[in-house]
Amino acid sequence: MKNKIKKFLYERGITAYQFRKDVGIAQRTAYDLYNNPDQLPSSTVLSKICDTYEVQPGEVLEWVPKSEKGGNELSIESPQSDNSEKKHGLIEEKGKLKSCIQILSSEEAA
């Protein structure tokens, strides 16, 4: 997914400043969305945008096929577990939950 907010605003002659004021969102949020197509609005912000300009989410968001995305950057995060013998890691691809894997503790792997 990517946002099309810059194009959306440009086509309507709306500045980033006016967008921020119209929608009632933080300056940082507005300018991050305006300047970075990879920055996705939260559901609350998306709802505010759609309500303000009376548009469907597809007017400001666009799905991008995997084939058009850059590399498949994966990151593995393991939550801290105090008394658990197993840790569950989450594999994420560009900030989205992809799948859950089990990582054996070093004692179990040995």
Side-chain angles (χ1 to χ4, degrees):
M1 295 283 293
K2 71 176 188 174
N3 84 57
K4 304 185 296 182
I5 291 173
K6 191 171 198 171
K7 179 182 176 190
F8 174 82
L9 296 175
Y10 176 78
E11 290 172 347
R12 288 159 179 76
I14 301 169
T15 64
Y17 175 79
Q18 189 61 47
F19 166 65
R20 175 175 84 87
K21 290 294 192 181
D22 289 348
V23 178
I25 56 178
Q27 179 177 343
R28 171 86 186 229
T29 302
Y31 285 94
D32 283 350
L33 290 169
Y34 183 82
N35 291 314
N36 183 2
D38 291 327
Q39 179 75 33
L40 298 177
S42 68
S43 59
T44 302
V45 171
L46 180 60
S47 183
K48 286 181 179 185
I49 294 168
C50 292
D51 289 344
T52 300
Y53 296 112
E54 298 181 345
V55 296
Q56 293 293 322
E59 295 284 324
V60 293
L61 294 177
E62 177 179 33
W63 175 75
V64 180
K66 283 184 180 182
S67 61
E68 293 180 22
K69 292 179 183 176
N72 286 334
E73 296 133 15
L74 295 178
S75 64
I76 298 177
E77 296 179 12
S78 294
Q80 295 296 327
S81 176
D82 296 330
N83 298 324
S84 176
E85 292 182 15
K86 295 182 181 179
K87 294 181 181 178
H88 297 279
L90 302 179
I91 296 180
E92 295 186 13
E93 180 177 347
K94 296 198 177 200
K96 296 197 176 179
L97 183 61
K98 197 69 173 157
S99 65
C100 184
I101 62 169
Q102 286 188 331
I103 300 175
L104 299 174
S105 67
S106 58
E107 290 125 26
E108 291 176 327

